[in-house]
DNA sequence: CGTTTAGTCGTTTTT
DNA sequence: CGACTAAACG
């Protein structure tokens, strides 16, 4: 059978576990420990195909993946393997996405209004801020944590299932003194969300988990799915685990895939205990299959990666092995500073492209989003197209958010956060006036009726009627989707130009938003998807590259999860960046940073360059002039490990003429600088 | 009451 | 540097 071809013994065991000829209904729980590049996606997709071929109903398979990208990749592969007559897997997506979908279906039965809207992180923080203000927690000089910090604390408590006091003590000790106030704040926040008919990200999981605890509804949800498959299980948190166990209490039909060596979402309350403890949740325990054969990286790259992860305090998976021979060790490239680092990357990228490695096959990875800014500048200067993943998203741009807020307010008149954002677009309307106008909005068939007779401040008087017209159109079914998006855009135009001095630059984003909106069936679907899976921004001045164009990938290490490239460059392999100096406090945090480096390194198929700038310029702390900091190689590559790498220094010290650009210069990159990184054996 | 300005503080990773 | 707040100003 086609979907079983080319699998190795372990993969095949995972694919076939519990499935007999024509009978997929007796598949007991299965845990697959899949090392980096071990064909995890293939195995998972093949298992889905195998289930379907043996009688499972694709409409009753639930596929939980870590990102939308992973979900569509999986769907693509399954469709390729499964015979044509089979229907596609219709329940596939992230925990949050599936949660939203199920809650919409069961809303009535769990006392939720099915017209709920979803708050993203920023909205949630804004609402928290409103509540904080109402509770009088903002004007104290007690250095109360900021809204974003409050939300992080709240979210961590919800996702970990731990009591607030413990969360504070363990992760936010500097906020412990505010425990009581935070408790009041969170209490008010929950009440506000409920009365405004909004759910935040955590609610999508929390309500789902609660739903699985209510007999009756829980049973109905369980009966929907014969098989549940979860990817990247090492990065799930206790709340997600409780959902999973609620769906499959006895483990029948459950498959989880993951790799504890790649757990990098501890900050989101993910815990490797989920994956380690999974087998014992069931009687008999879940079968465990381990995939250790890597098909991705060359042997030298794997050897170096294995050495890095070997020093982890705790390890559960075995070393990966590879049959891809190569004489080329990963390079550890010392560059003078972060500016030269950017130059090096640009030159190497171009040189490799000359050798036939497309830009799309190359990726620059970094710990935090702003680490790439100098590289972005250098790429733009040389007209090298790129797309950046992670970091600031397109949707978070204020002007995009403005337009979306109008739509969201029309969909959910009670949503105070978006109402405030929209109302304060008007001249002369600030928080106070906005609050008064918002108070007039009612429940019922014509929630905005009272706004029509409301008299705004003089400055806003002239433009008010047009706004009333707009709300009218949006509330009724006058303008069909996506025509109403265009309608909002036109209405917004004058505000836009008045508000943003750089409106010209930003106009492109709005056109893009309209284009994206056109791809969705309805406003509700658009808004939901937008909140859960916002399109990524591109920082390229030339605008978003066309899909068939070649472009370089820039990505945070977190966003690079599950992906692979022929050539990988890891920026700032220095202490303070990897590990981040924010994470050097507790040893668990350090361990997560080590795994992060491991994840970055194991993305590479053929070539891997780790960059070590010796100093970098910081604009943060210095008041006058640019100061710089000296950095040292990351602690995760101690001297004894250097023999796994080829040491290089760039630019090669030479006479002045060596600086000439072009591919010729790149040959010199391999030159070693005597003694400095002397390998020990 | 809204807007502007000056001053302070903290600073990651993402659904 | 940029996000956020508090105080001054209109």
């Amino acid at each position: 059978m086609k979907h079983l071809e080319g699998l190795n013994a372990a993969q095949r065991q995972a694919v076939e576990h519990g499935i007999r000829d024509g009978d997929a209904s007796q598949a007991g729980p299965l845990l697959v420990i899949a090392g980096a590049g071990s064909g995890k996606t293939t195995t998972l997709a093949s298992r889905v195909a195998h289930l379907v071929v043996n009688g499972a109903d694709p409409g009753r398979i639930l596929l939980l993946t870590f990102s939308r990208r992973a979900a569509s990749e999986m769907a693509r592969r399954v469709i390729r393997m499964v015979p044509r007559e089979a229907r596609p897997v219709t329940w596939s997506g992230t925990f949050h996405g599936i949660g939203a979908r199920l809650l919409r279906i069961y809303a009535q039965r769990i006392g939720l209004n099915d017209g709920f809207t979803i708050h993203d992180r920023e909205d949630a923080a804004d609402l928290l801020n409103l509540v904080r203000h109402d509770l009088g927690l903002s004007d104290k000089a007690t250095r109360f944590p900021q809204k974003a910090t409050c939300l992080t604390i709240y979210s961590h408590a919800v996702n970990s299932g731990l009591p607030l006091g413990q969360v504070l003590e363990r992760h936010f000790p500097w906020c412990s003194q505010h425990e009581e106030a935070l408790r009041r704040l969170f209490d008010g926040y929950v009440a506000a969300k409920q009365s405004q008919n909004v759910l935040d990200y955590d609610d999508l999981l929390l309500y789902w988990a609660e739903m699985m605890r209510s007999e009756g509804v829980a049973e109905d949800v369980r009966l929907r799915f014969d098989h549940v498959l979860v990817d990247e299980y090492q990065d799930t948190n206790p709340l997600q685990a409780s959902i999973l166990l609620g769906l499959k209490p006895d483990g029948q039909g459950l498959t989880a895939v993951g790799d504890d060596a790649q757990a990098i979402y501890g900050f989101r309350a993910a815990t490797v205990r989920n994956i380690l403890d999974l087998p014992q949740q069931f009687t008999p325990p879940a079968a465990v299959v381990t995939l250790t054969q890597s098909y991705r990286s060359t042997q030298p790259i794997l050897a170096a990666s294995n050495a890095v992860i070997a020093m982890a305090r705790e390890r559960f998976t075995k070393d990966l092995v590879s049959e891809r021979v190569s004489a080329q060790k990963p390079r550890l490239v010392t560059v003078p500073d972060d500016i030269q680092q950017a130059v090096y990357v640009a030159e190497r990228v171009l040189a490799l492209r000359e050798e036939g490695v497309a830009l799309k096959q190359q990726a620059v990875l970094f710990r935090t989003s702003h680490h790439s800014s100098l590289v972005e500048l250098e790429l733009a200067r040389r007209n090298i197209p790129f797309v950046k993943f992670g970091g600031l998203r397109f949707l978070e741009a204020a002007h995009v958010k403005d337009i979306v807020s109008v739509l969201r307010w029309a969909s959910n008149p009670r949503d105070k956060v978006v109402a405030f954002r929209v109302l304060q677009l008007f001249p002369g309307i600030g928080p106070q006036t906005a609050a008064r106008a918002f108070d007039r909005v009612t429940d019922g068939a014509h929630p905005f009726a009272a706004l029509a007779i409301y008299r705004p401040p003089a400055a806003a008087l002239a433009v008010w009627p047009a706004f009333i017209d707009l709300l009218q159109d949006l509330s009724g079914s006058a303008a069909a989707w996506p025509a109403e998006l265009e309608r909002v855009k036109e209405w917004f135009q004058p505000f836009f130009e008045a508000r943003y001095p750089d409106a010209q630059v930003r106009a492109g984003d709005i056109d893009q938003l309209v284009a994206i909106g056109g791809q969705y069936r309805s406003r509700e679907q658009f808004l939901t998807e937008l909140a859960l899976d916002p399109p990524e921004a591109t920082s390229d001045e030339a605008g978003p590259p066309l899909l068939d164009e070649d472009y370089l990938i820039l990505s945070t290490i977190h966003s690079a999860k599950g992906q692979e490239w022929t050539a990988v460059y890891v920026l700032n392999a220095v202490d303070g960046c990897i590990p981040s100096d924010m994470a050097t406090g507790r040893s668990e945090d350090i361990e997560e940073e080590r795994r992060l480096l491991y994840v970055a390194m194991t993305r590479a198929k053929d070539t891997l360059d780790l960059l070590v700038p010796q100093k970098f310029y910081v604009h943060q702390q210095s008041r006058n002039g640019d100061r710089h900091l000296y950095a040292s190689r990351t602690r995760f590559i101690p001297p004894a490990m250097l023999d796994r790498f080829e040491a290089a220094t760039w630019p090669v010290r030479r006479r002045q003429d060596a600086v000439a650009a072009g591919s010729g210069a790149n040959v010199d990159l391999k030159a070693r600088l005597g003694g400095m990184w002397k390998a020990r054996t």
Side-chain angles (χ1 to χ4, degrees):
Chain A
M1 289 197 242
K2 195 176 169 190
H3 63 279
L4 296 178
E5 281 168 18
L7 298 176
N8 67 31
Q11 290 174 332
R12 187 154 179 151
Q13 194 191 342
V15 168
E16 295 182 326
H17 168 79
I19 305 171
R20 285 165 220 298
D21 293 329
D23 182 12
S25 65
Q26 301 300 314
L30 168 68
L31 173 63
V32 182
I33 303 289
S38 64
K40 181 190 65 171
T41 307
T42 303
T43 304
L44 204 48
S46 301
R47 182 162 173 81
V48 173
H50 199 55
L51 285 168
V52 172
V53 166
N54 285 282
D57 179 351
R60 301 175 53 77
I61 292 176
L62 172 59
L63 197 52
L64 291 163
T65 52
F66 195 79
S67 64
R68 172 59 59 79
R69 210 191 306 172
S72 55
E73 169 68 11
M74 198 73 73
R76 205 174 55 83
R77 294 217 205 175
V78 172
I79 282 175
R80 224 171 34 188
M81 292 181 207
V82 168
R84 272 177 216 130
E85 62 269 22
R87 287 182 292 128
V89 175
T90 45
W91 286 90
S92 155
T94 62
F95 270 91
H96 293 87
I98 300 293
R101 204 167 142 191
L102 285 172
L103 290 176
R104 202 78 78 180
I105 293 172
Y106 290 99
Q108 309 273 344
R109 292 185 57 186
I110 56 174
L112 209 59
N113 183 323
D114 67 1
F116 65 81
T117 48
I118 298 168
H119 271 185
D120 65 20
R121 230 192 123 68
E122 198 183 334
D123 301 325
D126 286 348
L127 180 56
L128 211 38
N129 211 29
L130 288 174
V131 175
R132 179 173 73 165
H133 194 76
D134 288 347
L135 291 177
L137 293 169
S138 50
D139 46 18
K140 281 190 174 179
T142 51
R143 303 198 340 132
F144 198 76
Q146 298 201 333
K147 60 181 183 179
T149 311
C150 295
L151 182 66
T152 308
I153 295 170
Y154 170 82
S155 183
H156 205 279
V158 169
N159 283 288
S160 66
L162 295 173
L164 179 58
Q166 229 176 91
V167 171
L168 290 174
E169 189 187 332
R170 211 179 287 180
H171 300 281
F172 308 89
W174 65 94
C175 298
S176 279
Q177 47 174 325
H178 299 296
E179 180 174 344
E180 271 325 300
L182 283 167
R183 207 180 292 281
R184 275 193 292 139
L185 175 65
F186 296 160
D187 192 51
Y189 174 58
V190 170
K193 281 189 293 185
Q194 289 179 346
S195 78
Q196 291 174 35
N197 201 22
V198 297
L199 300 186
D200 61 20
Y201 288 151
D202 301 327
D203 287 331
L204 297 173
L205 302 182
L206 192 58
Y207 279 73
W208 187 5
E210 280 304 318
M211 184 161 76
M212 299 315 294
R213 269 183 218 121
S214 326
E215 277 321 311
V217 196
E219 194 56 21
D220 280 9
V221 180
R222 261 180 228 130
L223 288 172
R224 272 178 180 269
F225 306 114
D226 297 329
H227 298 275
V228 178
L229 300 94
V230 197
D231 197 7
E232 308 282 8
Y233 195 56
Q234 78 282 355
D235 283 321
T236 55
N237 58 43
L239 188 56
Q240 289 166 314
S242 81
I243 290 170
L244 200 63
L245 290 174
L247 286 169
K248 289 285 162 202
D250 58 1
Q252 281 296 310
L254 177 65
T255 301
V257 184
D259 176 10
D260 61 84
Q262 295 183 67
I264 53 175
Y265 277 84
F267 69 93
R268 233 166 70 176
T271 164
V272 287
R273 294 256 57 102
N274 277 357
I275 196 167
L276 301 175
D277 297 343
L278 185 76
Q280 303 309 322
Q281 301 280 342
F282 311 109
T283 42
V288 180
V289 175
T290 307
L291 309 180
T292 52
Q293 174 78 40
S294 169
Y295 298 95
R296 179 187 295 155
S297 309
T298 62
Q299 206 284 322
I301 289 176
L302 218 46
S305 308
N306 282 337
V308 166
I309 201 67
M311 295 191 69
R313 200 183 48 184
E314 278 189 301
R315 283 184 71 226
F316 305 92
T317 41
K318 292 180 202 147
D319 275 2
L320 290 166
V321 294
S322 169
E323 287 169 5
R324 296 196 57 217
V325 292
S326 167
Q328 179 63 60
K329 292 180 183 178
R331 273 182 290 256
L332 202 51
V333 185
T334 304
V335 289
D337 54 32
D338 45 356
I339 298 169
Q340 289 304 312
Q341 170 176 256
V343 176
Y344 171 87
V345 168
E347 303 236 321
R348 278 301 296 171
V349 165
L350 288 178
L352 271 187
R353 189 174 63 170
E354 289 291 307
E355 291 172 23
V357 183
L359 293 179
K360 271 186 174 177
Q361 281 305 313
Q362 306 189 50
V364 182
L365 306 183
F366 34 88
R367 173 66 179 85
T368 70
S369 190
H370 65 261
H371 282 166
S372 72
S373 54
L374 287 173
V375 172
E376 289 172 52
L377 279 176
E378 185 65 22
L379 294 171
R381 200 174 69 74
R382 296 174 184 238
N383 283 318
I384 304 174
F386 64 90
V387 172
K388 183 174 173 181
F389 291 91
L392 240 194
R393 282 157 196 270
F394 164 67
L395 184 69
E396 286 163 16
H399 51 296
V400 175
K401 203 121 201 190
D402 291 340
I403 289 194
V404 174
S405 293
V406 177
L407 293 168
R408 287 175 51 185
W409 196 20
S411 287
N412 181 4
R414 279 148 72 184
D415 188 329
K416 198 169 176 178
V417 169
V418 292
F420 268 45
R421 199 172 287 139
V422 172
L423 288 167
Q424 290 184 59
L425 288 172
F426 290 89
I429 297 185
Q432 301 294 328
T433 317
R436 260 184 283 116
F438 178 70
D439 283 342
R440 294 173 165 251
V441 176
T442 55
D443 284 336
H446 302 287
F448 300 113
L451 288 184
I453 50 169
Y454 171 75
R455 216 184 135 75
L461 209 51
V463 287
W464 192 255
F467 178 58
I468 297 301
D469 282 351
L470 177 74
L471 281 180
Q472 198 116 48
D473 286 359
L474 292 177
S475 315
S477 42
W481 186 262
E484 59 181 38
L485 183 52
E486 193 72 43
R487 173 88 171 78
V488 177
K489 178 191 160 186
E490 276 163 35
W491 169 81
F492 184 60
Q493 202 62 38
F495 293 89
F496 175 55
E497 283 160 11
R499 200 174 170 79
Y500 302 104
D502 54 343
Q504 295 287 2
V505 184
R506 294 170 178 247
D509 291 340
I510 294 184
D511 290 336
Q512 204 185 341
L513 180 76
V514 174
I516 292 170
Q519 295 165 9
Y520 294 93
R521 282 194 309 274
S522 64
R523 185 207 293 167
E524 183 195 76
Q525 195 207 5
F526 174 63
L527 293 177
T528 300
E529 305 273 315
L530 211 55
L532 294 177
D533 185 42
E536 314 274 351
T538 68
S539 313
D540 190 1
E541 285 173 11
L546 300 167
L547 280 179
D548 51 3
E549 223 176 90
D550 195 22
Y551 49 82
L552 180 67
I553 309 291
L554 269 55
S555 174
T556 60
I557 299 173
H558 284 90
S559 295
K561 168 194 265 287
Q563 311 223 78
E564 61 178 29
W565 294 276
T566 302
V568 167
Y569 311 84
V570 180
L571 301 183
N572 298 337
V574 300
D575 253 57
C577 294
I578 313 176
S580 160
D581 47 14
M582 311 294 339
T584 47
R586 304 173 326 137
S587 72
E588 300 136 70
D589 293 340
I590 295 282
E591 290 302 309
E592 181 151 313
E593 298 285 313
R594 187 195 310 278
R595 294 190 294 266
L596 211 41
L597 178 62
Y598 175 73
V599 168
M601 292 173 69
T602 51
R603 298 309 96 193
K605 291 201 269 193
D606 293 357
T607 71
L608 171 64
D609 290 5
L610 303 187
L611 286 142
V612 183
Q614 292 182 297
K615 64 179 180 185
F616 33 128
Y617 297 95
V618 281
H619 3 244
Q620 294 177 335
Q621 292 170 333
S622 65
R623 288 175 189 172
N624 36 356
D626 270 290
R627 285 245 200 98
H628 55 264
L629 279 177
Y630 287 95
S632 56
R633 190 180 65 240
T634 170
R635 68 184 73 178
F636 302 136
I637 304 178
M641 208 184 284
L642 290 174
D643 61 343
R644 309 277 181 167
F645 296 86
E646 174 190 316
T649 300
W650 192 88
V652 177
R653 282 187 207 159
R654 257 220 193 160
R655 275 155 270 129
Q656 295 162 339
D657 58 304
V659 195
S663 55
N666 295 291
V667 181
D668 295 327
L669 296 179
K670 293 182 181 175
R672 290 166 195 162
L673 195 73
M676 196 162 179
W677 300 112
K678 187 142 192 142
R680 286 159 217 194
T681 38

